[in-house]
Amino acid sequence: MKKETIYLAGGCFWGTEKYMQEVAGVLETQVGYAFGKKEGYNPSLPEHVTYEDVCANSGHTETVAVVYDADRIALTELLREFAYTIDPTSLGQQGADIGIQYRTGIYSTTPAQQEEAVAFLTELQKEYIRPIVVENLPLLQFIPAEEYHQKYLTKNPGGYCHINFDKIAKRKQRIVNPQDYRVMTKEEMQAQLSELQYLVTQRNATEPPFENPYWNKQEDGLYVDITSGEPLFSSRDKFFSPCGWPSFAKPLDPNTITQFDDLTLGMIRTEVRSRVGNAHLGHVFDDGPTELGGLRYCINSAALRFIPKEHMVQEGYGAYLPYIEKEK
């Protein structure tokens, strides 16, 4: 076992500690206060800080000491888990918690850890448009918090937590990087899309059932957004439906699809749109095959472009080939 310790600030330390406790390879956790300086601070004496001091803007940040087995989980993997729990572009606010004590940070104990954190944050920035504001500093001090804060959510399962665990589960399924794709301009759409494609994606129109190219297509390949090229569905998740439109059990990456209530036509439906292109795709219903999860993404062919499996590498989609192969 190769024990190492990293200090992570991700907003309220109750939730950060609870999440890190559940990460494979994490051995121990402790919540406390990093950095900061309360009034009357004497650098020659050990500092004692209370939660009340921190809430009164002592400058400390709620932090979790994470002891992990570096033979089981690399620091980069651990930091990825941490990144799932925060908005790295938010300064002094995570969830509903606002204040200097809720700023985010990675506080290292060795130069090697800090270098890894630099590389990780550089890669993470590629996933965001706004600048990342996560502190990356050597740890200067860490003062353990009061005992009632330690393992708080383990002792109080119904306690407050700013972390959205369902959202994290969805983010962990992320396959497609939105930064790799660009939506067409309106001028490009008008020049390159057919009238039907434009009306479906931009005006929420619906193409005729059965009179569309993909409703009963069985060929292996990838279905991408006609307006941006962002991968949306795999042939592996496509199933035959008598509705007359292409039907999928799930998207390739759940993060590529956004959902909205649709109250038109006197019905209550759930509209699905593409993430990058914000194109209308169709609707999702709960009448799909039970063995496939029970959902049916009913999608207009006009909103999609199909890329046959044998053309995926040539067209720059080779990374998605593993998601086309039939599951065994």
Side-chain angles (χ1 to χ4, degrees):
M1 184 183 299
K2 185 180 178 183
K3 276 190 177 184
E4 294 190 14
T5 305
I6 192 76
Y7 294 79
L8 304 174
C12 175
F13 51 21
W14 294 347
T16 303
E17 180 182 43
K18 179 62 176 175
Y19 184 85
M20 298 312 297
Q21 281 181 280
E22 298 176 1
V23 174
V26 169
L27 306 173
E28 305 167 32
T29 59
Q30 184 183 39
V31 300
Y33 313 116
F35 296 90
K37 185 186 297 184
K38 75 173 184 177
E39 187 175 352
Y41 171 65
N42 184 342
S44 65
L45 297 175
E47 188 175 13
H48 174 70
V49 175
T50 66
Y51 182 66
E52 288 71 23
D53 293 329
V54 174
C55 291
N57 296 321
S58 64
H60 295 82
T61 180
E62 295 192 12
T63 303
V64 181
V66 180
V67 182
Y68 63 100
D69 181 358
D71 287 334
R72 290 183 61 195
I73 182 168
L75 179 57
T76 297
E77 295 175 48
L78 190 66
L79 294 179
R80 168 54 67 183
E81 293 287 347
F82 168 63
Y84 287 135
T85 69
I86 63 173
D87 175 356
T89 70
S90 178
L91 185 63
Q93 178 174 0
Q94 292 297 311
D97 300 311
I98 302 173
I100 191 171
Q101 72 266 36
Y102 300 119
R103 66 189 187 272
T104 56
I106 301 169
Y107 306 129
S108 54
T109 56
T110 67
Q113 282 186 342
Q114 191 172 15
E115 289 177 12
E116 283 193 66
V118 168
F120 173 76
L121 292 173
T122 300
E123 286 300 305
L124 187 64
Q125 181 64 75
K126 297 177 182 178
E127 301 176 19
Y128 293 86
I129 296 174
R130 296 170 58 195
I132 283 178
V133 294
V134 179
E135 292 182 333
N136 179 25
L137 299 168
L139 182 77
L140 297 182
Q141 69 168 344
F142 177 79
I143 303 162
E146 296 86 340
E147 180 56 34
Y148 76 90
H149 284 301
Q150 307 297 334
K151 312 296 187 296
Y152 182 87
L153 289 178
T154 299
K155 294 181 287 189
N156 302 276
Y160 166 76
C161 182
H162 70 291
I163 294 176
N164 186 328
F165 287 84
D166 289 338
K167 184 176 180 180
I168 290 173
K170 182 177 176 181
R171 290 179 66 190
K172 281 190 171 186
Q173 298 177 57
R174 181 166 49 199
I175 298 169
V176 181
N177 183 354
Q179 303 300 320
D180 292 339
Y181 304 94
R182 178 188 69 84
V183 64
M184 293 178 180
T185 65
K186 290 296 183 183
E187 292 74 21
E188 288 173 330
M189 289 183 192
Q190 291 169 348
Q192 299 178 36
L193 301 183
S194 70
E195 181 181 9
L196 179 60
Q197 290 170 335
Y198 187 86
L199 289 174
V200 166
T201 60
Q202 306 305 303
R203 296 288 184 265
N204 291 23
T206 300
E207 67 193 5
F210 305 104
E211 299 176 20
N212 59 83
Y214 304 143
W215 79 271
N216 62 348
K217 194 173 188 64
Q218 300 180 29
E219 185 180 354
D220 290 342
L222 190 67
Y223 293 84
V224 306
D225 179 358
I226 193 73
T227 70
S228 70
E230 183 180 26
L232 299 177
F233 297 98
S234 166
S235 58
R236 184 171 70 184
D237 302 311
K238 192 172 186 292
F239 61 90
F240 174 78
S241 171
C243 68
W245 290 283
S247 295
F248 302 89
K250 61 182 180 180
L252 176 73
D253 175 339
N255 299 281
T256 63
I257 300 295
T258 57
Q259 299 186 179
F260 301 90
D261 291 337
D262 180 357
L263 306 181
T264 62
L265 304 180
M267 296 183 285
I268 301 176
R269 297 179 296 172
T270 301
E271 179 197 10
V272 290
R273 303 183 71 88
S274 62
R275 172 179 57 185
V276 172
N278 191 30
H280 171 73
L281 304 174
H283 295 83
V284 60
F285 302 96
D286 58 5
D287 58 3
T290 303
E291 65 275 16
L292 297 180
L295 296 179
R296 174 172 61 93
Y297 286 83
C298 183
I299 308 300
N300 288 278
S301 289
L304 304 172
R305 181 169 75 90
F306 177 72
I307 303 173
K309 178 181 176 181
E310 59 270 23
H311 296 166
M312 286 173 58
V313 172
Q314 178 185 344
E315 295 204 27
Y317 292 94
Y320 302 105
L321 281 170
Y323 304 101
I324 302 304
E325 303 292 343
K326 298 291 184 183
E327 293 178 322
K328 296 180 180 179

